[in-house]
Amino acid sequence: MATGDGHGCDARLEASVRSFPELLLQVGESLHASLVVDDQGRIGRIHSTLAVAAGWGNGVPPEGRLLEEVLQLFPWLVDALRTALTGTETVSEGGERDRWMRALVLPVFGNEGQCLGACARLSERAPAKPGPAHQARLEQELTRTQRQYEDLLNTIDGIVWEADVNFRFTFVNKQSERLLGHPPHQWIQDPDFWKKHVHPEDREWAQAYCMKASRERRPYEFEYRMLAADGRVVWLRSIVTVLSEEERPLKLRGIMVDVTEQRMAREKLEQTASVLRATFDSIADGVVVVDRNMRITAFNKRFQQLWQLPDEVLETGTKTEKPLAAALHLVKDPERFAARIHEVYALPDLEDVDTVELADGRTLERTTRPQWMGNTIIGRIWSYRDVTAEHQAREKLEQTVSLLRATFDSIADGVIVVGRDQRITTFNQRFQRIWRFSETVQLENLDALQAVTAAAPLVKDPERFVSQLQKMFVLSDREAVDTVELRDGRILERTTMPQRMGDTIIGRIWSYRDVTEERLAKSEQERLFVAERHARAQLEESLAVLDTFLNNAPIGLAFLDRNLRFIQLNDALATLHGNTREQELGRALRELAPHIAANVEPLLSQVLATGKPIIGLGMALEVPATPGQLRHWRVSYYPVRTTSGRLVGVGAVVVEVTAERRAQLERERLLQEAREAIQTRDDFLCVASHELKTPLTPLKLHLQRLQKKSASGQPLPPDFADKALVQVDRLSGLISDMLDASQLEAGRLELEREPLPLQEVIHEALEAFRPVSLQHPLEYEEQCTEALVIQGDRERLVQVLSHLLENARKYSPLKGAIRVTLTRNGAEAVVSVSDRGIGIPADQQAHLFERFFRARNAPISGFGGLGLGLYICRHLIERHGGRIWAESQNGLGTTFRFTLPVEPAPPLHGRA
Ligand code: ADP
């Protein structure tokens, strides 16, 4: 086939050319040619008669020899053929008188216009003779030849035609009707006949191709499809010759041969070949085919890959040595491999399978068989398959199987497998032992029922046992578990399930396990379980009771484990830590109340370490529940032990004793006070009796002398009464102090207050004091100009001043000056009384104004006192809204000062 553009279908053109000699023969045959030669003049076919006539009847084939060699006897025919090979058809005659021959010699052209060969059709005739008769005979002969020629044309198995340059047919032989169903007249009458009947797909290119070839005036040949009258598609090979004159194409002449069948066969062959090629390249096996000359005729990619052969080593047509040498490097045992290959080659018809181990760990399976063509061995096919994975898988499978077998033999279950035919296929040793089969008994392949019947006497209920098994032996998919009791007391648990292969049940598996121990243990366990449940119920009851007590106890209770975490405690205790019970459970005291833990944990640890309790320990602590408040506790810690004596923790009992403690302190305080009061009273009585007795003794003496004098009638000394009165004054002073003190104590002392110039009060006191203090110089200094008026009780204020003056006198040596000052300090008047006497020890000064207080350094006799004076003074001054205090240095003297609020000054005009 050829295409119009002459590009895309080069391959197809080439194919046509390759097949041309065959075509040449075919053309020759269709022309009934006696001789066909190729373009070189070599004989392609020669009719046997002609061959014999030419002297080639001796069995030597003339085919393939040059025509000059073969046709030495027929030089005229050689000339005609050589002429035809130059492209010119000729008619030539020659021969001997009695054997005159005539030859029609036609050139056959290729589609490139080149001459491909020539055909000669020979006919025998009488030699020519001159004269009219000869002329008539010639004409007659010509007519006959023409008819013969026409007959020839019509009998050619092809459409012989002639057309003008526009493809209008001028002649078509009768074969046109036979091959395509279109009678010749249709071809000739319709000017577009050819165009119309070319297959639409070929129409365009075929027309263009023909036009181009015609223009170039070269003969051509191509294949295309035409539509037959009945609609068939017919493949035609068209051979066309362009007849031209003076460089102009005149007509076309050609022959169309039906190549449909050939075409179909070729396509089919090509398809098959391509399928085979694709298959060859895509199969998993690496294949190489070697011919009998040890050359590689074919190999696939897989082969190249498997043997890692580069392209330059493996080429079609090369000898096998190179690739074999390269492959040997890969093989683990190259010598054996090579030897094996040579062995195979030595036996051409051997089919062989072998395994090749490669150095890189791969395993190849090698198959080889002879390559046959018909009955002849033309080579050998070697095929290699990588079976590494398969090998590994098989090895693994074998391992698994052996592992399974080992497992099967070592499991505690006695297993037996029964096949479809009810024969034992597998069993393990354990099965034999359970059922007391001797190890010598051959169980495999034994009828299962026979085995069961043999074992049945071991069972408590053998009949039931056998019938059960019989039922189950059928190939059902039932799975079941039950128990079998044996006479010897053993209990077997029996499991049965179908043995499957894929979805098919191929047998039944029976497995027996000795569960005697297990069952016994289980029933024991159940008994224990009931007992335990009972005990637990009791325990829970006890715990509930305990919990109620624990929680409602008014004291803190807790149980701590060895890590000092609360395992149990009551709300009373948790509340102290400022938490709830739930918050504290499981936690340690140091997390909850670090401050308490610092005091308590050492004690708890001590109990854990010694195993000895700490009982009734007093403790004073602040707790988070009541910050800032010191509370008192009595705590006890007990070691807690299990019945086996193991120390598991500490029990704590915490009792609050704050109220008791307070009551006790109060009692102690009151007792102390009472003691002190008694002491004070005793002291007072002692002092008071002494003080009261002191003036009484001289008074009694005076009165006794008075009695003696008056009895004797003697005159009384002038100061006698005065001295007695001094003692009486002293007594009454003591008594009035006592009275004042008791009134103050009872809150019954009344003041009679009036506006008083303070200077007046001081003067009055000083005037009264002067006579009694003759031994002590008395100084008075007023540092204010105006009268300082106060609201006061004149008598009481004089009493205060007199007492201070009296003390100054009492506690000063003779001649010790006494100094009184009056100053104003803002709204207050400040009065001071100073002496240079014994002073007061610093530590005693704070108590000066307390009842019954007498300083350590105050002499017991001489200037007695009840320790009430300053007490009364303080009360009187404070009742006047003032303050009183003392400043003293031991041994150097004392100054008492008191203040009194001064009345505001009256307006100026009031004074005038
Ligand atoms: P008494 O009547 O004992 O003097 P007071 O109340 O007047 O009682 O004085 C209490 C005590 O204060 C005295 O016993 C004395 O120890 C001390 N005291 C008071 N005034 C002076 C003073 N001027 N110098 C030294 N000690 C004094």
Side-chain angles (χ1 to χ4, degrees), residues 2 19 127 206 221 287 322 325 366 370 520 537 583 591 709 741 755 848 856 863 878 896:
S19 64
E221 181 184 342
V287 180
K322 252 215 278 183
R366 192 214 62 198
L520 287 178
Q583 285 171 326
E591 302 167 35
K709 294 265 181 187
L848 276 179
R856 182 160 72 249
F863 15 73
E878 283 175 358
F896 280 93

Side-chain angles (χ1 to χ4, degrees), residues 687 691 734 737 803-812 833-835 837-841 848-850 852-859 863-873 888 893-896:
V687 172
E691 286 300 311
L734 286 171
D737 273 0
H803 189 77
L804 294 178
L805 287 167
E806 180 57 29
N807 276 357
R809 189 186 62 80
K810 266 202 307 198
Y811 299 111
S812 297
V833 178
S834 309
D835 62 61
I838 58 168
I840 306 158
L848 276 179
F849 298 95
E850 287 171 10
F852 310 126
F853 177 79
R854 304 195 73 234
R856 182 160 72 249
N857 60 345
F863 15 73
L866 295 173
L868 287 171
L870 286 177
Y871 170 76
I872 295 164
C873 286
S888 178
T894 308
T895 299
F896 280 93

Side-chain angles (χ1 to χ4, degrees), residues 4 61 102 128 140 202 211 243 326 342 357 408 468 483 498 502 521 532 606 632 642 710 736 739 774 819-820 865 902:
R102 181 189 175 91
Q140 211 177 9
D202 295 340
M211 296 289 263
L243 303 177
H342 288 121
E357 303 268 328
F408 189 59
Q468 259 181 346
T483 44
E532 193 200 307
Q606 184 191 322
H632 296 270
T642 59
S710 66
S736 66
L739 267 174
L774 296 171
R819 181 183 163 79
V820 178
V902 179

Side-chain angles (χ1 to χ4, degrees), residues 702-733:
H702 283 309
L703 287 175
Q704 283 172 340
R705 277 171 68 187
L706 180 67
Q707 195 181 33
K708 221 189 264 177
K709 294 265 181 187
S710 66
S712 63
Q714 286 178 357
L716 294 171
D719 61 341
F720 186 84
D722 291 344
K723 284 183 179 166
L725 279 173
V726 168
Q727 300 305 329
V728 172
D729 280 350
R730 196 171 163 188
L731 269 175
S732 77

